[in-house]
Amino acid sequence: MVRIQKEVVEEEDFLLTDPTEFHKTVDDQKQWIQRILQNSRETILVAEVDAKIAGWLVFQSPNRVRLNHTGSFGMMISKEYRNMQIGRRLLEALLV
């Protein structure tokens, strides 16, 4: 997942993060995933192709009473797996 995120950040077209600002490690990613999995208001969906991570979608919702009805999602798809409907399938799975 970190490799895909670094790849997407380096494209510079899709994220606000500048490549020089990206310093996430595998341990950072593991801790982030654990926080998401421990929060009932958040979820992460991972897409695999031939047992390789192709991308993921994360939905996060603020832990504030007045924002209970809101949330946001982010998605990253590895360049080699784009245009294969993976993003669409992740969105559909989130909405189900």
Side-chain angles (χ1 to χ4, degrees):
M1 290 178 79
V2 173
R3 179 189 56 78
I4 293 170
Q5 191 168 3
K6 184 174 180 355
E7 168 189 302
V8 172
V9 167
E10 288 175 350
E11 289 179 43
E12 298 187 31
D13 295 334
F14 303 108
L15 296 179
L16 295 175
T17 304
D18 184 85
T20 61
E21 299 171 323
F22 183 77
H23 305 291
K24 188 175 279 189
T25 66
V26 172
D27 284 337
D28 295 336
Q29 189 78 3
K30 286 179 182 179
Q31 290 173 13
W32 176 71
I33 292 168
Q34 284 302 319
R35 281 193 306 271
I36 290 167
L37 294 176
Q38 291 170 357
N39 187 334
S40 64
R41 298 176 45 76
E42 299 182 346
T43 192
I44 185 165
L45 304 171
V46 178
E48 293 183 356
V49 175
D50 298 326
K52 290 175 60 179
I53 295 176
W56 70 90
L57 179 147
V58 62
F59 177 83
Q60 297 178 292
S61 181
N63 238 0
R64 300 180 79 172
V65 173
R66 292 188 177 178
L67 297 175
N68 278 345
H69 64 288
T70 69
S72 62
F73 73 90
M75 179 173 20
M76 291 198 176
I77 308 295
S78 178
K79 198 169 195 170
E80 67 183 292
Y81 295 108
R82 293 186 193 154
N83 300 312
M84 297 174 65
Q85 304 292 314
I86 291 171
R88 179 187 181 119
R89 290 179 187 154
L90 284 168
L91 276 172
E92 288 172 347
L94 176 66
L95 296 173
V96 171

